[in-house]
Amino acid sequence: MGVVVWNRPDKTGVLPLTKTTSSSTTVTTAMAISWYTNLGLILGGQKPSKLTRRLCIQAFDTVPDYSTLLDTLSSGFAQHQWTDIVQIDIRDYSGLRRNSPPDLTAVVNSITSSRSSSSSSLSPMAVAARIHKPGHTHVNSNLTKLATLISKHVPNVTAVASDPWECSPSSRLVAGHLASQYFSQLLVCHAPILAPIARPKDPCTCNLSSLSIQTSILQSSGPSIIPAAQLRTLKLLQAEAFFSWEAFSSDATLVFTNLTSLTIDFEKDHVANDSHKYDAQKGGQNPRVSMGIDKRRILFPKLTNLCVRKLPYTYPEAWAMFLDSPIRNLALAGKFAHIRYLDTRVLRQLDIFDMHVYLSEKSFGKFTAFVKTVLSVASSVRSAWIRHSEVFPISVPEVCAWTGLQELNITAYIPTFTLLALVSQLPELRRLIAQRIACDDSEAILESDSGPFHVEPGAVVSTSVRDLQLHMGGSKPRVTTLQTIIYVVMCMPRLKQLAVKQAYRKDIRLFIRRHAAEYPELLNLDYVHHINMKSLLVALMTKIQKKMYTCFMAVGLI
């Protein structure tokens, strides 16, 4: 159980606005709305602090006004010491609403990253004071008072969490203030930090094990500010292409002894200046190049999960720092011009591989060759996603080395025979998800990349596939699409589940009944619905909100 504080928007989710006009300017401000808590239930017990381990602040409106939250907490909440609370969560659900005002991420970042002497010394409150946008509440000194009040009455917090880049600017600033307030005692910090980290008096007291942080904050904080050996999870946000790892250690060799999960989200997917790449190559020496600017040895002996987004590098040496790591899960997203330089040796021990490629038209031939190369690398991968959004086919090698693959999701455009050629080489494959398959005669030219592979009608390509999901086709049935779906299904006669568009199910059932003697196992085929995850999450959150309001109204809190 925990202390929950939330606000309630109007039916549209948008706060009403009031206008005050002076002789020279017109200022638009959002009317304050009330905050509610479950303190009435918690304080009914004899020892309220013993009942709770978490403080959760939830904002459901599009413009959270945290200035009024101070008044709400100053009454019942501030009358007690909540010594058992160890976690603070900032949850902002305003992104689920359609009429959200524009985000101010760029504004916040432009101010905090300014290199001018006047802005480099700005405090978080001074940064917030410079943000002005219609539809957003101005952040004022009440934010500092709010963070101070919470830290005074909740002294033992070891975790502060929020979704740094999905919440509103005001929620982000609140989370940033709380993270800065508690930073020296935190075990987990997943909140945007707005100012450089102060060096602890005793580095041995830092027990931080999970951290999300911008590389700009790390670099402005100085060297050896966060002990690398303590970290188990690290997310580097808005990373510059040539950021420094000095904040974790200045030693000749940097070892993240216990790190198991690393995420690097680069701010840009291109590098304006490659001079760092081989600037020490004089005299025939090839420098050690890593992700970042360091040329020293960086080791991750326990790293199993690696995620890199907006990869900016155009040389394979960037992957050298991970070649000795036992990586099991790899997620990679970026332009093909950069991903093509992936050192395929990192694929050897993988369980899960997720590759999201952004293509340009001129990359067509190189991409098909790249996919062939990747599929030819011996790997223990069991689940793979190969996705890009352009209308280009992928190509498969004559011998696919991913023989242990059990799940394959291809969002790339792929011709029918190319897909079947790949499936025929995957004896352990259980689930196949294909977004787009060539169905029309006009697309037959794309089959030229699939080689001599051909499937005769009625031939069995796979007896291992049990779950097939085909996402092509619209709400109205097309004969060519239906023929392609039936053709693929007949090649996998041991199917148990099939997900296709509703428009094609009736005809597929009819075909299977007519050919029951040839495909008896398909008579019990289970037809499942496609799931739109975004719509599902929105519907789920709306349902949760309604239940929360109903429960709190029932006990008289609203």
Side-chain angles (χ1 to χ4, degrees):
M1 184 175 181
V3 176
V4 182
V5 185
W6 75 98
N7 59 11
R8 182 177 60 181
D10 63 6
K11 292 181 180 180
T12 63
V14 181
L15 290 177
L17 300 177
T18 59
K19 291 186 177 181
T20 58
T21 306
S22 64
S23 58
S24 57
T25 60
T26 299
V27 181
T28 304
T29 59
M31 292 176 60
I33 64 173
S34 299
W35 289 81
Y36 302 90
T37 76
N38 63 345
L39 288 173
L41 293 176
I42 293 178
L43 295 177
Q46 294 181 350
K47 295 181 178 180
S49 65
K50 296 296 182 182
L51 298 177
T52 139
R53 303 283 292 173
R54 186 169 68 112
L55 169 62
C56 185
I57 301 175
Q58 301 176 340
F60 291 99
D61 63 296
T62 54
V63 191
D65 183 4
Y66 287 96
S67 61
T68 57
L69 177 58
L70 180 63
D71 297 330
T72 302
L73 295 182
S74 296
S75 54
F77 183 83
Q79 306 305 315
H80 298 270
Q81 284 295 107
W82 304 88
T83 56
D84 283 356
I85 290 182
V86 295
Q87 179 177 344
I88 298 179
D89 289 334
I90 310 296
R91 293 289 173 252
D92 191 319
Y93 301 115
S94 60
L96 297 175
R97 302 184 180 280
R98 295 181 178 180
N99 299 323
S100 299
D103 196 359
L104 298 183
T105 303
V107 180
V108 175
N109 294 337
S110 66
I111 295 173
T112 56
S113 62
S114 175
R115 296 183 178 180
S116 64
S117 59
S118 60
S119 58
S120 61
S121 59
L122 287 177
S123 66
M125 278 323 314
V127 169
R130 293 177 59 178
I131 301 175
H132 176 78
K133 199 82 170 180
H136 285 276
T137 304
H138 285 281
V139 184
N140 51 43
S141 60
N142 282 336
L143 267 185
T144 303
K145 295 178 181 178
L146 176 62
T148 303
L149 174 71
I150 292 176
S151 63
K152 179 180 178 181
H153 295 278
V154 190
N156 298 325
V157 170
T158 58
V160 175
S162 73
D163 195 342
W165 314 118
E166 294 299 328
C167 58
S168 65
S170 50
S171 295
R172 195 175 308 144
L173 288 172
V174 169
H177 274 282
L178 290 170
S180 299
Q181 195 84 23
Y182 289 107
F183 191 83
S184 61
Q185 66 190 62
L186 291 181
L187 299 177
V188 176
C189 180
H190 291 292
I193 299 174
L194 306 177
I197 302 168
R199 183 175 298 278
K201 296 180 181 179
D202 182 6
C204 296
T205 62
C206 181
N207 295 315
L208 196 66
S209 63
S210 186
L211 174 66
S212 297
I213 193 169
Q214 310 94 302
T215 59
S216 59
I217 295 295
L218 284 177
Q219 294 183 173
S220 62
S221 298
S224 304
I225 200 75
I226 300 172
Q230 302 288 139
L231 292 172
R232 297 182 182 276
T233 301
L234 176 63
K235 293 183 180 180
L236 299 177
L237 306 174
Q238 294 184 317
E240 299 175 356
F242 298 111
F243 68 90
S244 172
W245 296 85
E246 286 285 322
F248 301 102
S249 174
S250 300
D251 296 340
T253 299
L254 171 57
V255 183
F256 286 86
T257 311
N258 295 299
L259 194 71
T260 60
S261 179
L262 173 64
T263 298
I264 306 179
D265 277 334
F266 287 97
E267 186 173 12
K268 299 178 181 178
D269 56 5
H270 66 276
V271 178
N273 186 356
D274 281 342
S275 62
H276 295 282
K277 186 168 51 173
Y278 296 116
D279 61 356
Q281 200 172 3
K282 297 178 181 179
Q285 286 187 336
N286 188 22
R288 183 177 183 84
V289 181
S290 66
M291 290 192 181
I293 199 174
D294 292 60
K295 295 180 178 65
R296 55 183 170 154
R297 190 168 176 79
I298 302 177
L299 300 176
F300 305 89
K302 294 184 180 179
L303 186 66
T304 56
N305 300 294
L306 175 62
C307 176
V308 181
R309 299 189 183 98
K310 292 187 178 180
L311 180 72
Y313 306 112
T314 55
Y315 46 89
E317 291 87 352
W319 295 93
M321 61 197 304
F322 302 118
L323 293 182
D324 297 324
S325 302
I327 298 175
R328 309 297 294 182
N329 303 326
L330 174 62
L332 179 61
K335 293 180 178 178
F336 172 69
H338 302 160
I339 288 183
R340 62 181 291 200
Y341 291 99
L342 169 70
D343 191 325
T344 55
R345 286 178 290 179
V346 302
L347 305 177
R348 293 174 297 189
Q349 303 178 68
L350 291 185
D351 287 330
I352 300 175
F353 180 45
D354 185 348
M355 180 177 66
H356 193 172
V357 182
Y358 308 111
L359 281 172
S360 60
E361 188 172 352
K362 61 183 181 181
S363 302
F364 165 63
K366 295 178 181 178
F367 177 69
T368 55
F370 172 73
V371 173
K372 268 189 175 181
T373 301
V374 169
L375 293 174
S376 301
V377 176
S379 173
S380 59
V381 62
R382 294 183 293 114
S383 177
W385 289 53
I386 301 176
R387 40 185 169 174
H388 70 76
S389 56
E390 303 299 330
V391 186
F392 297 140
I394 68 169
S395 188
V396 299
E398 293 182 5
V399 178
C400 178
W402 294 10
T403 54
L405 194 67
Q406 298 177 14
E407 179 181 27
L408 176 61
N409 190 324
I410 300 179
T411 62
Y413 184 91
I414 184 169
T416 307
F417 288 142
T418 303
L419 176 65
L420 296 177
L422 179 57
V423 172
S424 68
Q425 299 185 60
L426 303 173
E428 302 295 328
L429 189 66
R430 305 283 293 181
R431 172 179 290 177
L432 174 63
I433 304 173
Q435 298 290 338
R436 292 173 293 176
I437 300 179
C439 301
D440 297 328
D441 293 338
S442 60
E443 297 166 334
I445 189 173
L446 298 177
E447 296 286 0
S448 59
D449 266 329
S450 64
F453 185 87
H454 183 70
V455 180
E456 296 295 334
V460 175
V461 170
S462 174
T463 58
S464 63
V465 177
R466 297 292 185 269
D467 184 356
L468 176 63
Q469 300 180 32
L470 302 176
H471 293 257
M472 71 276 200
S475 57
K476 295 182 179 180
R478 298 170 67 239
V479 173
T480 53
T481 302
L482 176 62
Q483 291 174 340
T484 300
I485 293 174
I486 292 177
Y487 186 74
V488 173
V489 169
M490 296 304 104
C491 293
M492 305 174 191
R494 300 288 179 84
L495 283 178
K496 298 297 182 183
Q497 287 189 339
L498 175 65
V500 293
K501 297 292 179 67
Q502 181 71 37
Y504 298 99
R505 292 182 188 176
K506 180 179 179 181
D507 292 313
I508 294 174
R509 286 192 181 99
L510 181 61
F511 180 89
I512 290 175
R513 287 197 207 100
R514 288 177 178 175
H515 297 81
E518 302 170 60
Y519 307 101
E521 294 186 46
L522 292 178
L523 286 172
N524 298 320
L525 193 61
D526 184 17
Y527 296 86
V528 297
H529 294 279
H530 289 285
I531 298 178
N532 185 318
M533 292 305 298
K534 184 176 180 180
S535 299
L536 181 64
L537 287 174
V538 172
L540 179 62
M541 289 308 306
T542 302
K543 188 175 182 179
I544 291 175
Q545 291 178 33
K546 289 181 178 179
K547 284 190 174 182
M548 286 179 62
Y549 294 147
T550 302
C551 292
F552 290 136
M553 286 181 68
V555 296
L557 293 178
I558 299 181

